[in-house]
Amino acid sequence: MAPNMNITQSVLFVNDSDMWYTAFTYCLLLITIGVCSALQYVVQTTKSNLPSANNIHFRIFQRKYFVVYFLALFGDWLQGPYIYKLYSHYGFTNFQIAALYVVGFSASVLFGTGTGVLADRFGRKRMCMMFCITYSLCCFMKIFPNYNILLLGRLLGGISTSLLFSVFESWYVYEHVENYDFPKEWISVTFSKATFWNGVLAIVAGILANLTSESLQFGPVSPFILAIPCFILSCGIMYYAWGENYGKQQKTSKNLCLEGLQVILSHKLIFMVGIVQSLFESVMYVFVFLWTPILDTKHPPLGIVFSVFMVCIMIGSSIYQMSVYTKTEPQTMLLLAVVLATMSQCGCAIATSFEETNVSIAYASFLVLEIAVGIYFPSIGYIKSECIPESHRANIMNWFRVPLNIITCIILLSLHGEINTSGNCVIFLLCSGMMLCCTFIMLKIIKVLPYVRMHLEQIC
């Protein structure tokens, strides 16, 4: 009887532990929403006295950009939670699924720089519309449980991701500065709002994707079907509401592609900003791959955990908005984001150094990273708008993503082989080192940026 009693007590202890983490996650969601609401109240109270909040033309311009961009982001977020689940539903092995992911990241490496050149030469609006077409085709191909078709879909998905995170921003910065002649400082306002509402969209998309996958007959493929109208609607509004703008047009695409790389290598500030982006976002992707298997050992409600993470991003965005209104330099906020991310990765390394992962430390470290992400995106977006020349903007931004995708592919393949705690610890130690490098580079950027700004207009 004694062994059976011990087994029963162990099971009860595990169940109590799981229930505690479930209750804690729901409480954490309420707490983070409360903190975010309080920060937004402060932001709304402060911004009413600022010129950007009272400029009707700027608010109309923002809405014109947001309605298109948010539809594109919403379509992207609908798919996120169900990509792996769909491939698993079709019966593919873990190695086959890993290969599909690698194809997507490889496509971003191989074709990303080319799409940037095309955007600068033939028009950013055209390439934004091309994004809507290619991503719609990518989603449509998810209907077919054929591995070759899904590979082609991942190829289109990789190209689409490169477009989403480069040409939309390039189009906005050009319009903001060149066509509308708004103050450059107001770019931060738009990027911080975009980051905040990106969190809201992610939460809504996650809930909607969950409802459609369970209530419709298509199962895990239904979120991908639902994403297609979002991209079509985004493309239609863009066609009628947006104007066209360009980068450099007078040379061949091959020369422009290499010229963008030369600009990065020959200008210290641009090179350092590219390193910071590549390393920070690589760490962010590692988090995306690892948070579920690490936290799932305690069986918390993963959908609610995801919502908590998104609210933390909104908290980070709110902190950045407050910094804009208190006139704190964006590079200082970017340094704060990098330091928080460094602390987070060190915490994750400590959590996974035990024989059994300390989920509490890992959970807290993940929350700190998500707050850092919320500060990071508007900060890096404004600094890129300052230092990247308009003539090569989309091209250079896609070059920044090349090392990011290479690092992500390497880590993804290593994750396939390293499924134990010690393997995760090594990966988080590596990420800690990467973020420590970012910290030193950011200290250098803070010193260099004020002196370089006045010379950037010469880069054409």
Side-chain angles (χ1 to χ4, degrees):
M1 283 294 289
N4 289 334
M5 288 180 63
N6 289 335
I7 293 172
T8 303
Q9 288 174 350
S10 298
V11 170
L12 288 173
F13 176 77
V14 170
N15 288 337
D16 287 343
S17 176
D18 291 354
M19 289 177 63
W20 185 90
Y21 273 99
T22 298
F24 175 72
T25 299
Y26 278 101
C27 291
L28 198 58
L29 179 61
L30 296 176
I31 292 169
T32 52
I33 288 174
V35 171
C36 185
S37 301
L39 288 173
Q40 274 299 301
Y41 175 77
V42 174
V43 167
Q44 297 300 321
T45 304
T46 308
K47 81 171 188 178
S48 60
N49 300 320
L50 295 175
S52 60
N54 298 318
N55 189 307
I56 185 66
H57 300 292
F58 179 60
R59 296 201 331 250
I60 291 172
F61 171 57
Q62 278 187 320
R63 282 197 290 269
K64 184 166 70 171
Y65 172 67
F66 283 151
V67 68
V68 171
Y69 184 51
F70 287 167
L71 279 168
L73 283 177
F74 190 70
D76 184 52
W77 275 119
L78 279 170
Q79 307 167 57
Y82 284 89
I83 295 176
Y84 185 92
K85 187 171 183 178
L86 179 69
Y87 294 151
S88 180
H89 174 73
Y90 285 153
F92 298 118
T93 64
N94 286 336
F95 180 79
Q96 288 176 310
I97 294 172
L100 286 167
Y101 274 99
V102 169
V103 166
F105 289 117
S106 301
S108 292
V109 173
L110 295 174
F111 301 106
T113 53
T115 57
V117 171
L118 293 174
D120 286 333
R121 189 175 184 195
F122 296 108
R124 283 117 183 210
K125 173 184 170 180
R126 285 192 182 93
M127 294 309 293
C128 288
M129 294 176 69
M130 182 59 66
F131 156 82
C132 295
I133 295 169
T134 55
Y135 222 174
S136 296
L137 288 172
C138 171
C139 292
F140 180 73
M141 290 178 181
K142 295 290 195 300
I143 298 173
F144 306 99
N146 180 286
Y147 195 73
N148 292 328
I149 294 177
L150 292 173
L151 277 173
L152 180 59
R154 283 300 297 170
L155 186 73
L156 292 175
I159 296 171
S160 302
T161 302
S162 290
L163 291 170
L164 177 61
F165 295 109
S166 60
V167 291
F168 282 86
E169 184 177 320
S170 298
W171 179 91
Y172 174 81
V173 171
Y174 183 94
E175 293 292 312
H176 180 107
V177 177
E178 302 294 335
N179 282 355
Y180 286 86
D181 197 27
F182 293 128
K184 266 198 170 185
E185 294 75 20
W186 294 5
I187 292 175
S188 285
V189 177
T190 300
F191 287 160
S192 58
K193 279 186 178 180
T195 303
F196 180 86
W197 286 104
N198 184 37
V200 176
L201 290 171
I203 295 170
V204 175
I207 294 170
L208 187 60
N210 184 64
L211 290 173
T212 55
S213 63
E214 291 183 358
S215 60
L216 299 179
Q217 296 179 353
F218 295 112
V221 79
S222 60
F224 300 92
I225 303 296
L226 194 61
I228 295 175
C230 296
F231 297 133
I232 293 173
L233 185 58
S234 176
C235 186
I237 296 172
M238 189 191 314
Y239 179 79
Y240 288 105
W242 283 19
E244 186 60 276
N245 63 57
Y246 305 87
K248 201 166 188 175
Q249 296 177 272
Q250 55 267 49
K251 296 186 179 181
T252 64
S253 296
K254 181 180 178 181
N255 288 342
L256 275 176
C257 187
L258 294 176
E259 205 172 277
L261 181 59
Q262 289 171 355
V263 171
I264 295 172
L265 297 177
S266 60
H267 292 85
K268 191 175 182 180
L269 177 61
I270 298 175
F271 181 71
M272 290 191 294
V273 170
I275 293 175
V276 170
Q277 177 176 330
S278 296
L279 295 181
F280 190 101
E281 294 185 21
S282 296
V283 169
M284 191 175 68
Y285 276 115
V286 171
F287 159 76
V288 170
F289 297 139
L290 285 179
W291 77 264
T292 301
I294 288 176
L295 297 187
D296 203 29
T297 57
K298 298 297 182 181
H299 307 293
L302 295 181
I304 305 302
V305 173
F306 177 77
S307 298
V308 171
F309 288 159
M310 292 303 104
V311 177
C312 285
I313 290 178
M314 294 161 65
I315 289 173
S317 172
S318 301
I319 293 171
Y320 182 84
Q321 286 179 359
M322 291 172 63
S323 77
V324 171
Y325 303 141
T326 56
K327 302 190 184 304
T328 304
E329 290 287 344
Q331 58 266 31
T332 304
M333 297 306 297
L334 184 55
L335 175 62
L336 173 61
V338 169
V339 170
L340 288 174
T342 305
M343 293 167 55
S344 166
Q345 295 310 293
C346 290
C348 290
I350 293 170
T352 53
S353 65
F354 301 104
E355 186 174 346
E356 183 178 342
T357 298
N358 187 313
V359 176
S360 299
I361 297 176
Y363 204 164
S365 300
F366 291 159
L367 298 179
V368 172
L369 178 63
E370 289 293 60
I371 292 173
V373 169
I375 299 171
Y376 164 81
F377 275 110
S379 304
I380 195 78
Y382 178 76
I383 291 174
K384 286 190 293 184
S385 73
E386 282 271 281
C387 72
I388 298 177
E390 188 58 49
S391 56
H392 300 82
R393 185 174 300 280
N395 183 19
I396 289 174
M397 287 172 65
N398 272 305
W399 272 113
F400 285 173
R401 294 186 63 82
V402 170
L404 159 65
N405 286 299
I406 292 173
I407 293 170
T408 304
C409 284
I410 293 170
I411 291 174
L412 180 58
L413 291 174
S414 68
L415 283 175
H416 178 69
E418 297 281 5
I419 57 173
N420 51 37
T421 302
S422 61
N424 291 340
C425 182
V426 171
I427 289 171
F428 283 125
L429 283 172
L430 177 62
C431 290
S432 300
M434 290 163 60
M435 294 315 303
L436 195 59
C437 289
C438 278
T439 304
F440 289 119
I441 294 171
M442 277 308 306
L443 292 172
K444 187 69 174 175
I445 288 175
I446 287 175
K447 290 181 180 179
V448 170
L449 187 59
Y451 301 102
V452 175
R453 277 171 173 163
M454 62 184 69
H455 301 295
L456 290 173
E457 295 300 326
Q458 299 173 7
I459 309 171
C460 295

